[in-house]
Amino acid sequence: MTTALLNGVTGLLRSAAPSARVARRRDSGWRKQRTELAAELSRLTGQLQDLAAESTQMRAELSRLDRDLDESRRLNLRAAELLDIVYAELTSAPDAKARNDHRQAPKAGGAEA
């Protein structure tokens, strides 16, 4: 009976020993995975910070471009107003000249007659 008990305990120890080795391998595997994941997380965090900085720069540039576009629109509207004034002056100038010539023509013709 003692021999059977001793054999049983020995069998348990032998079966436990490989499990301990597997557990150690698992622990080292988990550690390796954890280290790899930590490195990947660190890399992604760095990329995220870079993207956040780039996004901030792009927002500032977009804001500057938006202000420039508003100024350009304002200047274009002002130029259009000035062109309308010039066009009105140019188109009304011949009419005004013709009216002045017409007014002066009878006086000149009346003086000669």
Side-chain angles (χ1 to χ4, degrees), residues 2-23:
T2 308
T3 308
L5 186 59
L6 188 58
N7 286 337
V9 169
T10 305
L12 284 174
L13 289 175
R14 284 186 186 151
S15 66
S19 295
R21 275 187 250 137
V22 170

Side-chain angles (χ1 to χ4, degrees), residues 20-34:
R21 275 187 250 137
V22 170
R24 275 185 290 214
R25 285 185 193 149
R26 279 191 198 142
D27 287 344
S28 67
W30 284 103
R31 284 184 193 139
K32 183 179 177 184
Q33 283 182 345
R34 194 169 80 194

Side-chain angles (χ1 to χ4, degrees), residues 55-93:
S55 173
T56 300
Q57 290 174 347
M58 290 180 100
R59 286 176 193 264
E61 181 69 11
L62 183 63
S63 178
R64 185 190 66 79
L65 290 172
D66 192 40
R67 287 191 306 271
D68 288 350
L69 181 61
D70 287 344
E71 179 68 8
S72 176
R73 286 178 180 153
R74 188 189 67 77
L75 292 173
N76 281 337
L77 286 173
R78 182 63 181 144
E81 290 171 359
L82 292 173
L83 284 173
D84 286 344
I85 291 170
V86 168
Y87 181 75
E89 288 293 321
L90 290 175
T91 55
S92 67

Side-chain angles (χ1 to χ4, degrees), residues 96-111:
K97 185 178 178 187
R99 275 183 266 140
N100 286 337
D101 289 345
H102 180 66
R103 287 181 193 159
Q104 291 175 356
K107 289 181 185 176

